[in-house]
Amino acid sequence: MELAYVCEWEKRPKSTHCPSIPLVCSWSCRNLIAFTTDLKNDDDDKDVSHMIHIIDTEHPWDMFSINSGHSEVISCLEWDQSGSRLLSADGDGQIKCWSMSDHLVNSWECAFSSSVDGDPIVALSWLHNGVKLALHVEMSGSTNFGEKFSRVKFSPSMTLFGGKPMEGWLAVTVSGLVSVSLLKPGGALLTASESLCRLRGRVASADIAFTGGGNIVVAATDGSSSSPVQFYKVQVSVVSEKCRIDTELLPSLFLRCTTDPMRRDKYPAVTHLKFLTRENSEQVLLCASNQSGSIVECWSLRKEGLPVNNIFQHRSPVVGEKQPTILKWRILTTTSDLERVSTMALPKLPISTSNTDLKVASDTKFFPGLGLALAFHDGSIQILHRLSLHTMAVFYGSSSAQRPGDEAAIKRQRTAGPALHFKALQLSWTSLALAGVDSHGKLHMLRVSPSMGQVLDMNTTLRHLLFLLEYCMVTGYDWWDVLLHVQPTMVHNLVEKLHEEYMRQNQALQQVLATRIVAVKASLCKLSTATAARACDFHAKLLLIAISSTLKSLLRPHVLNTPDKSPGDRLTEICAKNTDTDIDKVMINLKTEEFVLDGPPLQSLQQLIQWVGDFVLYLLANLPNQVSQGSIVRPGFGFMRDGASLGMLREMLVMIRIWGLLKPGCLPTFTAMSDNQDSMQLLFRLLTKLWLCSREDGTSQEPDESLIDECCLLPSQLLVPSMDWLPVNDGIIVKLQGKLPLRLQFGRASSLQVVGGTAPLDVFTRSPGAQKMDNLRCIHMGVSPTEESKVCTRCGCVTMLRSPNKTNAMKQWEQRWIKNCLCGGLWRRIPPTFS
């Protein structure tokens, strides 16, 4: 494991506020990290603000802080399955649900709240939505995504009419109450509380898991290792518009260390209680501790035959009667004596733990999802196998005294007081990164190798990373933590292999993943200067696909009883068959009545139409540079062999040509050197020639000399625009390929240079006086925009927060990108200092 970066608190004057010890940390599937602190006023110790801080991992310095309004210390933070809402609970029984305001990661508001007055919350969870995947390492070589990542039959905790999962959350209090809040479709909140059992007792620690049948299992302990760890089944239902909770006692267990004569009184307190996964209520992890050490035990719930008394042994058995069985907890494994555990993090990757999957994982050294992290009071972290509890990797903190042979560290620890250690720890959703908040309030990020540091050949390493990228692509989870392990030399091979695997899927799945795979490729290509130009092409392709689908959606069949094919599909089919270089001859074969639209929609989409025209001109004008030997790969190179994208551009030129006859104002404007120059005709002719060289159904060939000569003349016929449509990403991922740790500070954007010291491409740099571009609306915002803007956390795409357009057509375009960017990334508001 390697330290990727350390974020330090912004320095504050001692007379105002200073950070105290953070308590909890949570990591969402969209790579947002939430953690808490208490800000105390030096003048009045009672004046405490309980803060929640949210960052996206790509811009860790841009922290959004919420004064939560909680009256007591926040004890739990939980993200929902979509990574867009956050639950917080405190020591006074208050629970708050936070949601993004305007879908911005740095703007949050409290949407709902519930409470169990005066009863501290010890465990909190969203209800399960019924979606569960199993990741099969055994099938990692399969060509079918459905075999690699299979859907497991799993029932939601609560369902609405038609089986749709009902949203809500469940909390366990210190006095043994279970509280449920359900979100009704209309926005109302149904709440109910019920005792876990008839005899209520103190619950010092608890955890929540779910069963495939839609039940909820709660594990609870009173904190004493001599007391039993109790398990309860909880069922939630709605009866007569009221929430109802039914609880049932399940088999309990006693810790092994309390039955061992050598350790009976050695570990008096149960400090940590966790189910191994939230979908597996049959395996639980327990940690018992004393002042200086800890021990961890892993237990499993198994069905065993119930012995029958001898009196009943000799009677004649009834046909079909089976031996009675009973559920009983059995210990799987236990650790030896450990340093005192301060916190633990469990994996979220749903890796299958069948014998064959475990064997393949062991043989190929693929360990994501199999390791759990334990942080100790000496500052070190150990990754243990979640079933055998064997140590797989160790990280020694900066103040750890366990580093072999480091006597100076031992002396420093004795004189400097308590060692710096982690108070909260969280594994990412692919288990390739670890985030933790230490006892001094610093946020740390650590890389966790898929092979736990074991040296592998390049092909195996690529296969591991490819497997996890495919998982993120299928689930829609963010793949930022996978990129931490991609070196620049791996990028080209990963992109090619990812494309090969994608092309092996069925047509329906390819359509679902069409834009997602382009976004993954763009993220990968940014990691290497050799492939940075391809990243530009992938961003352009995302915009091209979006504009094409939007323009085609405007087409309407002339009569209602039309065949199965839509006007857009017929346009694609006709343009693919007709290889004529004359745009007017292609138009003759189309039913122009399907293209008849009112003026306002066309006029309002003019800037998107203009982008298409400018992009075609840019590609053709740069063709001579792209095909010349030894030239630098420039943006647009990827389109020269992409027959599908060139065909898409060709279709749009035909559509635009027809619309131009109806509404000349919607046509793209070109600065021609001659008055009688038909720009659209010229561009279509050259584009068709280039498309014929790269058609998928024919043999690909190099552009001929006559085409290159004509493209060389283009700048003398038409003014070629400067394409400043590329988003500029200021994220941290491209700076994390090095082995040395980075140190960042909240509130200060990173000024570190890209790894390797090479100058970034011209397309990624903007002079201070350059025009700012709205990358979604394809319009200029000026040098110093006065409008509020938002930027994509993944690709850097910038767009205005509020729409300047009033027409329905443009509003429909903008509504497509309200929640997510073109690449699927989240939005964050640009601070005023950006301008």
Side-chain angles (χ1 to χ4, degrees), residues 289-437:
S289 305
N290 56 27
Q291 291 295 322
S292 59
S294 298
I295 190 169
V296 177
E297 298 178 1
C298 184
W299 289 74
S300 177
L301 186 65
R302 295 181 179 175
K303 191 178 287 187
E304 297 183 357
L306 191 65
V308 181
N309 193 287
N310 290 336
I311 297 174
F312 305 102
Q313 293 281 357
H314 303 294
R315 72 182 180 89
S316 57
V318 179
V319 177
E321 184 180 6
K322 295 181 180 178
Q323 181 188 10
T325 58
I326 189 173
L327 290 172
K328 196 169 184 179
W329 285 99
R330 291 288 184 187
I331 190 163
L332 279 179
T333 185
T334 181
T335 65
S336 55
D337 295 338
L338 302 169
E339 178 70 25
R340 189 179 174 197
V341 173
S342 60
T343 186
M344 63 171 60
L346 294 172
K348 304 179 184 75
L349 193 71
I351 190 167
S352 171
T353 53
S354 66
N355 291 332
T356 50
D357 282 305
L358 288 174
K359 185 179 185 307
V360 173
S362 177
D363 292 344
T364 60
K365 305 294 187 293
F366 181 84
F367 298 122
L370 290 175
L372 59 95
L374 295 181
F376 299 96
H377 274 265
D378 68 348
S380 65
I381 297 175
Q382 287 189 28
I383 305 287
L384 307 182
H385 195 287
R386 76 181 205 189
L387 297 178
S388 66
L389 297 185
H390 291 150
T391 303
M392 300 165 71
V394 181
F395 167 75
Y396 297 105
S398 57
S399 60
S400 171
Q402 288 194 6
R403 192 185 300 275
D406 193 355
E407 296 180 5
I410 299 174
K411 292 177 182 176
R412 281 197 303 273
Q413 184 186 353
R414 287 173 182 166
T415 57
L420 192 73
H421 63 276
F422 288 94
K423 300 289 291 184
L425 208 61
Q426 278 275 308
L427 277 163
S428 69
W429 282 66
T430 60
S431 299
L432 293 187
L434 194 61
V437 190

Side-chain angles (χ1 to χ4, degrees), residues 304-605:
E304 297 183 357
L306 191 65
V308 181
N309 193 287
N310 290 336
I311 297 174
F312 305 102
Q313 293 281 357
H314 303 294
R315 72 182 180 89
S316 57
V318 179
V319 177
E321 184 180 6
K322 295 181 180 178
Q323 181 188 10
T325 58
I326 189 173
L327 290 172
K328 196 169 184 179
W329 285 99
R330 291 288 184 187
I331 190 163
L332 279 179
T333 185
T334 181
T335 65
S336 55
D337 295 338
L338 302 169
E339 178 70 25
R340 189 179 174 197
V341 173
S342 60
T343 186
M344 63 171 60
L346 294 172
K348 304 179 184 75
L349 193 71
I351 190 167
S352 171
T353 53
S354 66
N355 291 332
T356 50
D357 282 305
L358 288 174
K359 185 179 185 307
V360 173
S362 177
D363 292 344
T364 60
K365 305 294 187 293
F366 181 84
F367 298 122
L370 290 175
L372 59 95
L374 295 181
F376 299 96
H377 274 265
D378 68 348
S380 65
I381 297 175
Q382 287 189 28
I383 305 287
L384 307 182
H385 195 287
R386 76 181 205 189
L387 297 178
S388 66
L389 297 185
H390 291 150
T391 303
M392 300 165 71
V394 181
F395 167 75
Y396 297 105
S398 57
S399 60
S400 171
Q402 288 194 6
R403 192 185 300 275
D406 193 355
E407 296 180 5
I410 299 174
K411 292 177 182 176
R412 281 197 303 273
Q413 184 186 353
R414 287 173 182 166
T415 57
L420 192 73
H421 63 276
F422 288 94
K423 300 289 291 184
L425 208 61
Q426 278 275 308
L427 277 163
S428 69
W429 282 66
T430 60
S431 299
L432 293 187
L434 194 61
V437 190
D438 68 21
S439 50
H440 286 188
K442 293 180 182 177
L443 178 68
H444 300 253
M445 179 75 68
L446 293 90
R447 274 185 264 254
V448 182
S449 165
S451 62
M452 292 298 165
Q454 299 189 43
V455 179
L456 301 177
D457 63 272
M458 182 59 78
N459 285 335
T460 307
T461 303
L462 287 174
R463 193 163 67 246
H464 289 174
L465 295 175
L466 181 67
F467 191 38
L468 292 171
L469 284 172
E470 290 168 350
Y471 169 73
C472 291
M473 205 163 65
V474 169
T475 58
Y477 295 160
D478 198 284
W479 52 88
W480 182 89
D481 42 344
V482 183
L483 299 181
L484 281 175
H485 301 269
V486 178
Q487 294 299 317
T489 52
M490 303 178 184
V491 170
H492 178 74
N493 287 334
L494 266 180
V495 170
E496 295 302 315
K497 289 179 182 294
L498 192 66
H499 184 73
E500 289 173 13
E501 292 297 319
Y502 168 79
M503 294 305 294
R504 291 172 180 165
Q505 309 311 308
N506 61 55
Q507 198 65 35
L509 186 57
Q510 283 189 26
Q511 286 185 346
V512 171
L513 303 178
T515 54
R516 209 172 283 168
I517 188 174
V518 177
V520 175
K521 289 177 181 178
S523 300
L524 287 168
C525 288
K526 281 183 180 176
L527 301 179
S528 169
T529 52
T531 55
R534 294 187 66 187
C536 307
D537 294 345
F538 290 129
H539 283 301
K541 189 169 182 177
L542 285 170
L543 187 55
L544 176 62
I545 293 170
I547 293 176
S548 174
S549 61
T550 300
L551 296 184
K552 282 183 180 179
S553 69
L554 297 175
L555 305 180
R556 295 288 181 269
H558 184 57
V559 288
L560 291 178
N561 56 343
T562 54
D564 295 336
K565 290 182 180 177
S566 67
D569 292 336
R570 281 200 296 278
L571 171 68
T572 302
E573 187 178 333
I574 290 169
C575 288
K577 289 179 180 177
N578 194 324
T579 59
D580 206 303
T581 57
D582 190 332
I583 192 169
D584 294 325
K585 290 182 180 178
V586 177
M587 271 170 45
I588 294 171
N589 298 312
L590 294 169
K591 296 179 181 178
T592 52
E593 59 269 15
E594 295 179 343
F595 293 78
V596 175
L597 298 175
D598 295 332
L602 290 175
Q603 193 62 49
S604 63
L605 294 172

